[in-house]
Amino acid sequence: VVPVDTARVYFFGHSNGAFMAMHMACTHADRITAIGTLAGTEAVDFTCTTLARPVSVLHLHGTADTTIQYGGGTVGAASFVGAEAVVSRWASRDGCDATGTPGTAFDWDTVVAGAEATPNVFGGCDGGASVELWTLTGSGHIPVTNGLGMRSIIDWLLARRS
């Protein structure tokens, strides 16, 4: 048996893994503290009713993503919501303010020049949860980040406790 700090259970997923992380957070909110997702979202028809407890969500998505488009779209026969819509869904699920507060842009994707990552933070969430969207202006489906970029996601997750 391996001891697990049940106040600190996290998921991170990219693309289809992001779809999975969001599904797991919805169906297992009683066990998951926070998720980080990159370039993935939820199906248009995905239903997530009452959460067992709030789950913090950090979603990163590039505006130039042609695989899972920032504004939503389809892959095969499956339709998915856009980055802003999925974060709004999570803000509502977690009892957060309906409108986020833009933060200061910073450099996250080393391929895109300048400070392309703009955080949008939804405050007032139930149970101390956090919901954020980091819009990566000009970034594609597989952004290239330095070690500090990935560290920023890990630090964000580890700062959340249930």
Side-chain angles (χ1 to χ4, degrees):
V1 175
V2 177
V4 173
D5 181 351
T6 58
R8 299 180 84 171
V9 177
Y10 312 106
F11 269 68
F12 178 81
H14 173 249
S15 194
N16 199 36
F19 281 84
M20 180 203 65
M22 289 188 187
H23 185 270
M24 292 295 292
C26 182
T27 58
H28 298 291
D30 59 324
R31 297 180 186 173
I32 297 173
T33 305
I35 62 170
T37 59
L38 170 63
T41 179
E42 292 177 347
V44 168
D45 61 355
F46 179 70
T47 56
C48 178
T49 53
T50 305
L51 297 176
R53 68 177 182 185
V55 176
S56 292
V57 176
L58 171 61
H59 182 64
L60 294 86
H61 212 123
T63 60
D65 188 337
T66 58
T67 304
I68 304 297
Q69 296 88 7
Y70 183 87
T74 59
V75 173
S79 296
F80 56 89
V81 299
E84 293 173 10
V86 78
V87 170
S88 288
R89 284 181 174 191
W90 278 100
S92 177
R93 290 172 188 152
D94 282 342
C96 307
D97 298 337
T99 305
T101 302
T104 303
F106 59 96
D107 188 17
W108 195 86
D109 186 342
T110 60
V111 173
V112 178
E116 81 294 327
T118 304
N120 195 19
V121 180
F122 292 78
C125 306
D126 293 343
S130 301
V131 175
E132 295 186 27
L133 169 62
W134 293 0
T135 298
L136 307 175
T137 303
S139 293
H141 189 64
I142 305 175
V144 178
T145 185
N146 58 27
L148 295 177
M150 292 310 296
R151 186 71 211 177
S152 66
I153 294 170
I154 292 167
D155 288 346
W156 189 95
L157 289 168
L158 292 176
R160 273 75 202 156
R161 297 183 75 105
S162 56

